[in-house]
Amino acid sequence: MEHSNILLESWSPVCNIQAVVEETNQNCYLYLWFFPGTDNAFVKSCWICNTNGAPKKLDVDGMQNGIAPSMPEEYVLHDPKGMRLDADSLDLVWFEEGDAAALLCDDDLICVIPGWSGFNGFMGYSAFAKGMSPLAWELTQAMPLLSERVARSKEYWAGFDLDGEYWNVAQKQHIEVLNTFFGAYRKYYAIDDGEFPPKALVTGEQDEICYCITAGVSLLAMPTVEQYYYDYPNDFRRVEIGYATVKKYEGSMQPMLSYISSITNIPWDEVTFLGHGHTIPFQGITGYSAVWLLNAELLETIDTPKYPQINGERINLLWLVPLRDSEYEWIKEHSSEEALKRCKKAHRELIVFDGEGIL
């Protein structure tokens, strides 16, 4: 009979993900359990080591019965008779995005489940794996990159433990940026419900245009970005969200304030990201069924707040553009790229709601 022992448990600081290191009398695995206890739950796993003798081949029948397989001997770097981990020597580091983790033993990196695991047969990296097995890939070649990620992640999370000073600094910077953009701000709303991370909505008005823009969402790096922006994910991991409307439609501000507050945690609640061209359902304005997210950094001639970088990473302001039912359906059927080409408004006008259609 297989006996198991939990050596370590940890929860992501920002996502609904639980990390578990489980040892049995055959092997040891790192598991990341996404959305535990829900209908959407799923698990990512990575072999760490065998605790008993290595088999000649993979136990496929056992896997089909839900038994975690041991690594075949051709892929094992440690003693073929097996090895054990000391629970007191283990530490888990969550990556900045909160959806990936690294396991350390006496400060040595021994296992990593990165955000891109689960694709093309890749489960993760183990210091005790050799080559590219179905259960774990060798860590050697990836070690420099992953060691840097772990060190950066440690520093990142430690930066939030400064008795709130990080928020005092960030809050001041955001207010200064927004005041420069639309003049002295009108109202400030805390939208974090007293939970981590702190964030707010700030309103202002200039030249008969009313604005509301978040402050603090960019403190966190969004998950999954590197799976889409392979070469430069750090340019798109941090966002703020904004809405602009002409004075005539100032009444749309109130439902938009509530809506923006409700979507700021989507990336971490759903382990995804918000980006240029994305659409999200929205019922706050009669006749409109979605909002279109447009990144000011990727469109020409749009006036936008000029943010300082965070840890060398750009802050992207995503403007919310309300979409009529027909416009939403058109973009879903075609693409955001095609919609931008078809727009009858200049990009500068596109991000300011005026009750007129955009397609």
Side-chain angles (χ1 to χ4, degrees):
M1 179 179 292
E2 186 173 88
H3 298 281
S4 67
N5 182 31
I6 303 302
L7 302 183
L8 180 148
E9 290 182 282
S10 177
W11 284 90
S12 167
V14 288
C15 299
N16 186 14
I17 305 173
Q18 183 183 25
V20 176
V21 177
E22 183 180 34
E23 179 189 72
T24 71
N25 51 12
Q26 297 299 317
N27 49 55
C28 190
Y29 272 79
L30 171 62
Y31 296 100
L32 295 187
W33 188 9
F34 287 67
F35 316 120
T38 73
D39 293 338
N40 300 321
F42 66 93
V43 176
K44 290 185 176 184
S45 64
C46 184
W47 175 89
I48 303 171
C49 63
N50 290 340
T51 57
N52 209 332
K56 293 292 185 183
K57 60 181 182 179
L58 197 63
D59 183 6
V60 177
D61 292 338
M63 292 174 64
Q64 293 175 345
N65 291 318
I67 299 174
S70 293
M71 183 73 83
E73 62 180 359
E74 66 174 303
Y75 296 110
V76 175
L77 281 178
H78 63 67
D79 186 336
K81 295 179 181 179
M83 62 173 287
R84 296 278 178 170
L85 297 176
D86 176 14
D88 293 334
S89 300
L90 299 180
D91 186 28
L92 192 103
V93 177
W94 290 96
F95 281 16
E96 295 166 87
E97 303 89 343
D99 67 334
L103 182 66
L104 284 71
C105 182
D106 290 325
D107 294 327
D108 292 327
L109 188 58
I110 62 169
C111 186
V112 181
I113 298 181
W116 58 90
S117 68
F119 297 94
N120 300 318
F122 168 69
M123 308 303 285
Y125 300 96
S126 170
F128 308 110
K130 179 168 59 177
M132 299 166 62
S133 86
L135 307 180
W137 286 10
E138 186 172 334
L139 184 56
T140 308
Q141 290 186 344
M143 181 68 83
L145 172 64
L146 293 174
S147 294
E148 181 183 342
R149 287 285 295 270
V150 169
R152 180 182 169 116
S153 296
K154 283 184 175 181
E155 183 178 353
Y156 175 81
W157 294 116
F160 290 112
D161 295 331
L162 304 177
D163 298 324
E165 182 59 28
Y166 70 92
W167 175 234
N168 293 334
V169 173
Q171 183 186 50
K172 181 180 178 181
Q173 286 181 336
H174 277 276
I175 294 298
E176 289 176 351
V177 166
L178 295 180
N179 283 349
T180 300
F181 177 62
F182 52 48
Y185 75 90
R186 296 293 182 88
K187 293 184 178 180
Y188 176 100
Y189 303 93
I191 57 172
D192 50 46
D193 293 326
E195 298 181 356
F196 175 82
K199 53 191 173 184
L201 261 172
V202 183
T203 68
E205 183 180 328
Q206 188 178 59
D207 298 330
E208 298 297 305
I209 298 176
C210 304
Y211 298 92
C212 62
I213 298 174
T214 60
V217 178
S218 57
L219 283 171
L220 295 181
M222 294 186 294
T224 74
V225 173
E226 60 192 351
Q227 296 167 31
Y228 298 88
Y229 295 95
Y230 309 106
D231 297 328
Y232 37 86
N234 292 5
D235 284 348
F236 295 99
R237 299 198 306 165
R238 299 178 185 273
V239 299
E240 298 294 341
I241 300 171
Y243 174 68
T245 180
V246 296
K247 190 77 171 174
K248 178 181 178 181
Y249 289 96
E250 187 177 7
S252 66
M253 288 287 285
Q254 193 56 48
M256 194 59 77
L257 285 166
S258 299
Y259 179 72
I260 291 175
S261 177
S262 72
I263 67 172
T264 54
N265 215 43
I266 282 179
W268 302 277
D269 284 346
E270 300 184 13
V271 190
T272 185
F273 75 101
L274 300 177
H276 181 63
H278 291 183
T279 56
I280 313 175
F282 168 68
Q283 305 294 331
I285 303 174
T286 302
Y288 292 79
S289 56
V291 290
W292 194 17
L293 279 60
L294 297 180
N295 187 340
E297 296 288 342
L298 301 180
L299 297 175
E300 298 177 356
T301 70
I302 290 184
D303 291 331
T304 190
K306 306 301 180 185
Y307 295 99
Q309 292 188 336
I310 298 180
N311 295 335
E313 298 182 16
R314 184 176 74 197
I315 295 177
N316 301 270
L317 180 60
L318 299 177
W319 289 104
L320 300 188
V321 178
L323 295 173
R324 292 175 173 174
D325 300 349
S326 59
E327 295 167 339
Y328 183 33
E329 292 302 318
W330 195 94
I331 290 177
K332 287 195 295 182
E333 183 178 346
H334 298 83
S335 69
S336 286
E337 184 178 352
E338 289 301 313
L340 282 169
K341 295 177 183 176
R342 191 172 186 244
C343 276
K344 56 188 179 184
K345 292 183 176 182
H347 291 169
R348 180 189 295 271
E349 300 169 340
L350 188 60
I351 60 112
V352 179
F353 180 66
D354 60 4
E356 300 293 331
I358 61 172
L359 294 179

